[in-house]
């Protein structure tokens, strides 16, 4: 019997922004982090069926609000939700449900909200397929995940301006 994790660290990306082969490292199902492969990334980029639409401040705010609303509705403990222009980080505790289902429910609800607010998202993907989720099993891992999802991401944003 498996113990329930303390929380999940969930990440998912905006459609077309983190392709297989990406220079920022990418994750392969079953193999984990992989080194950059520019030709693979280019191959995937050439096959995108839709333009990449980054999230502006209103869309990021709508995503964060929807995550908070859903967590409240499901009685999940939301530690942090940080929507960036090209990805979303969430740290959430949810009993008796695995991380993939939590991630998928959050993505589906955020998709609905974005499509209601921006017709440009209708009839096209908003997010990349899947996404990542990791179990958080200790208080120190929880603190690190919250710090990374919040302050570290904000610091990275300031450094690239």
């Amino acid at each position: 019997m498996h113990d329930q994790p303390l929380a999940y660290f969930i990440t998912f990306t905006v459609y077309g922004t983190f392709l297989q082969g990406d220079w920022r490292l990418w994750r392969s199902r079953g193999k984990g982090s992989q080194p950059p492969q520019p030709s693979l990334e280019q191959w995937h980029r050439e096959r995108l069926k839709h333009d990449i639409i980054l999230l502006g401040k209103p869309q990021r705010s709508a995503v964060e609000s929807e995550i908070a609303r859903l967590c409240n509705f499901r009685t999940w403990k939301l530690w942090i939700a940080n929507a960036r222009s090209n990805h979303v980080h969430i740290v959430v505790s949810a009993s008796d449900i695995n991380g993939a289902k939590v991630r998928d429910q959050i993505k589906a609800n955020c998709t609905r909200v974005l499509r209601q607010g921006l017709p440009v998202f209708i009839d096209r993907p908003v997010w990349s397929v899947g996404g990542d989720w990791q179990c958080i099993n200790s208080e120190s891992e929880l603190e690190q995940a919250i710090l990374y999802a919040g302050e570290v991401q904000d610091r990275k944003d300031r450094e690239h301006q």
Side-chain angles (χ1 to χ4, degrees), residues 5-12 64 67-68 70-72 75-83 88-94 99 102-103 106 132-153:
L6 188 58
Y8 298 112
F9 179 48
I10 296 171
T11 303
F12 52 91
E64 290 173 1
I67 293 167
L70 179 63
C71 288
N72 184 57
T75 64
W76 298 339
K77 167 66 175 157
L78 177 62
W79 297 95
I80 190 168
N82 191 347
V88 179
H89 287 301
I90 305 152
V91 179
V92 61
S93 296
V102 174
R103 177 202 62 210
I106 290 171
D132 194 38
W133 63 276
Q134 299 171 7
C135 292
I136 297 172
N137 295 307
S138 71
E139 292 289 335
S140 63
E141 288 177 0
L142 180 60
E143 288 176 22
Q144 288 177 325
I146 292 168
L147 182 66
Y148 180 82
E151 292 177 27
V152 173
Q153 290 296 299

Side-chain angles (χ1 to χ4, degrees), residues 7-157:
Y8 298 112
F9 179 48
I10 296 171
T11 303
F12 52 91
T13 60
V14 169
Y15 171 82
T17 58
F18 284 81
L19 301 171
Q20 290 180 332
D22 191 281
W23 64 271
R24 295 165 287 199
L25 298 181
W26 57 283
R27 295 178 64 88
S28 174
R29 287 189 191 127
K31 295 181 182 178
S33 294
Q34 300 293 305
Q37 295 179 352
S39 58
L40 179 60
E41 179 183 15
Q42 186 60 34
W43 186 86
H44 282 286
R45 187 165 312 288
E46 290 169 359
R47 282 153 185 79
L48 291 176
K49 295 179 179 160
H50 305 279
D51 292 336
I52 295 170
I53 301 174
L54 298 177
L55 304 178
K57 285 185 181 184
Q59 292 80 41
R60 294 192 308 262
S61 178
V63 164
E64 290 173 1
S65 294
E66 179 54 24
I67 293 167
R69 186 208 64 78
L70 179 63
C71 288
N72 184 57
F73 178 77
R74 296 276 187 222
T75 64
W76 298 339
K77 167 66 175 157
L78 177 62
W79 297 95
I80 190 168
N82 191 347
R84 314 306 294 174
S85 63
N86 61 359
H87 66 284
V88 179
H89 287 301
I90 305 152
V91 179
V92 61
S93 296
S95 301
D96 302 323
I97 184 170
N98 76 35
K101 288 184 180 182
V102 174
R103 177 202 62 210
D104 293 347
Q105 287 184 22
I106 290 171
K107 283 176 66 178
N109 280 270
C110 290
T111 298
R112 177 186 43 79
V113 165
L114 289 174
R115 287 181 174 160
Q116 287 173 342
L118 267 176
V120 70
F121 283 119
I122 295 173
D123 295 328
R124 55 150 300 134
V126 176
W127 313 109
S128 302
V129 173
D132 194 38
W133 63 276
Q134 299 171 7
C135 292
I136 297 172
N137 295 307
S138 71
E139 292 289 335
S140 63
E141 288 177 0
L142 180 60
E143 288 176 22
Q144 288 177 325
I146 292 168
L147 182 66
Y148 180 82
E151 292 177 27
V152 173
Q153 290 296 299
D154 292 340
R155 202 173 315 127
K156 282 183 180 180
D157 209 29

